[in-house]
Amino acid sequence: MSTHDNLPKADGNEENKAKTVDENSANQITEAPISQESQDNSSEENTEEEKVSTDIVSTEESSTEENTVPEETNNTEVVSESDNEILNEMDEAVAKDSEDESKLERHDIEKKDYHAMSKEELISELRHLVKSEKIQAIKEHVEEIKTEFNAKFNEEVEQKKDEFLADGGNIIDFYYSTPLKKEFNSVYFDYKEKRNAYYQNLKKDLQVNLQKRLDIIEELKGLLNVEENINTTYNHFKDIKERWHNAGPIPRDKYNTVWNTYHHHTENFYDFLHLNRDFRDLDFKHNLEQKLKIIERATELAQETDVNRAFRELQILHKMWKEDLGPVAKEYREPIWEKFSALTKKIHENRQDFFKIQDKVYEKNLEVKQEIIAKIITVASEHPKNHGGWQQKIKEIEALREEFFQAGKVPPNSNEETWSQFKSAVRDFNRNKNAFYKGLKKDQFENLNKKMELIKIAEDNKDSDDFSVTTPLMKKIQADWKKIGHVPRKDSDRIWKRFKDACNSYFDRIHAEKNEANKEEIVSYEKKLAHIESLKELKLSGDPEADLNTIKENINIWKSLGRVPYKKRNIESDYNKVLDGFFEKLNLSRQQIEMIKYENKLSSLANQSDDRALRNEQNFIRKKIDEVHGEIRQLENNLQFFKHADDNNPLVIEVKKNIGKHKENLQVWKNKLKKIKEL
């Protein structure tokens, strides 16, 4: 049977077996996940925290046993080198947290996408962190914000420098600052002031607490030489323990030595109590029960799936074992420490196994992020020639950025390099994009000058009365205006209003002139409306020849009424419908009717101001003649398929009927062409 099997059981039922652990650690264990950096065996230290440890000069170094007292593990069997490393790591973690107990109250702070923020947003975020978060917990956030702000500001400085030099300035005379830069410097100065004050106070407090504990150790050593009632001495010892527990954190480089010295003299005092075994055994029993409860809790933590949570609570258990509890009876000291050390190793191994799995995940994430960075570099190497192309590229980059942030964590040793590569790739894209829009801005100013020249032409000619010359000019500058690209947005509405007002002023005058000229056409329109109404009352005599003469006389009257406004030209169709009603009552062929109506149409076309209408009509008729010729040829070809068919075949009859209709139409179009040629 091993020594471990002889360990007594902790008092209390299963439900309360870790009561002491819970009472001491309830306010210390947090559920926040451990940071990526803390996954290494030793976390990177804050520069200010290092200064707190290294700047402290040890008080009076003693050559006595205080500086050479072995740790509790030295009372055990020889342990392996790897086990010692694990225990040393745990001691270092406890020492680190003990130096700055405020770490127990810290919480994870969300790290936002500072690269995507504007300078205004970066200042706002920095101000929020300095005002609302613990100053010792925001260093990484502040430094990243500072890096991003300076990068954006330096890019702006370079742009202003280029403009300054392009305008003929001397580089020696160049200076650039903004209210935003001054505001950022002010907030960052506040951060440094609060940070320095915090670490100066912490350094001072650690020194004071160290001296308190050294004084308490001296007082504890003196208990062995006092001559007083054992009860009084024991009460004095209990008071020392209470003051020791509340003495506060000390520098981590003194932590193990001071604590081991204290425990050494505590054990000496318990050995001194052999004169009164009741006091000693009572304390030994209490300490053993509490340490057994810690072991039981550590046993549970060895089965915990959340290895980071288990490790954080294990640190608290070690601190309680070392700081809050005294020694146990000698026969139990080695077995219980071996048991606790073995559980510590098990929890550490669980954590390392978890990290190995995580490392594989992080390596895969690294590959994904490297691929995304390569895609960003590819997109950044392409330089679109227009605004639309750049907007599409911006959407692609935004999508890739989102993929990058969703890809998960990478190995800690690759984190900084990957982040730097990502920012560099995105910044190269932004630099190219900004260069394009800077050039676009230059083009817009050139476009502004071109449009201002067109405005001058429009304003100079808006009052011209030479319509035949000015009208083509005004139409041309309107077409030129549309061909010129964008101008700066702040000028767009203003110059468009000037150009539009000048053009409208000119064309409104033309329209006014035309409206005056159209008065006669309006009168003609009203007369033709009246003529149509009078025709509705006309009664034919029944004599075809006399009625045809009557219709022709009315057509001549219609022709004499003059032109109507262009927008009212549909009145001709209304008039033809009335004529169709009369023609239906006469025994006239279709060709005769069409030609009578067509003569009326030709009269209207002949009254146009130029002969374009007549030329267009002639071209239209020629086209119709060609179309009808083609349709006749197609139908005659179709008849070849029925050459052996009977003439009474319905299909043959239908085709021949269609050929006849088309030939009749062809003759009508030919007569119209002949008539128009006679004009």
Side-chain angles (χ1 to χ4, degrees), residues 630-642:
E631 291 172 356
I632 291 173
R633 282 194 300 271
Q634 182 63 45
L635 290 170
E636 288 176 343
N637 288 336
N638 292 343
L639 275 179
Q640 297 301 315
F641 295 103
F642 301 98

Side-chain angles (χ1 to χ4, degrees), residues 614-664:
L614 284 173
R615 289 200 305 270
N616 291 339
E617 179 67 13
Q618 187 172 351
N619 291 334
F620 172 74
I621 293 174
R622 291 182 186 278
K623 183 179 179 182
K624 295 300 293 185
I625 290 174
D626 291 339
E627 289 177 359
V628 175
H629 269 304
E631 291 172 356
I632 291 173
R633 282 194 300 271
Q634 182 63 45
L635 290 170
E636 288 176 343
N637 288 336
N638 292 343
L639 275 179
Q640 297 301 315
F641 295 103
F642 301 98
K643 62 182 179 179
H644 299 298
D646 193 310
D647 289 342
N648 294 326
N649 186 300
L651 291 176
V652 174
I653 294 172
E654 181 65 25
V655 172
K656 288 182 177 181
K657 183 179 178 180
N658 285 340
I659 291 174
K661 286 182 180 180
H662 280 82
K663 286 183 176 180
E664 185 179 351

Side-chain angles (χ1 to χ4, degrees), residues 73 76-88 341 345 349:
T73 54
T76 69
E77 300 174 353
V78 176
V79 294
S80 68
E81 183 177 347
S82 62
D83 290 349
N84 264 330
E85 289 178 358
I86 294 172
L87 295 174
N88 289 339
S341 298
K345 180 181 179 182
E349 289 174 348

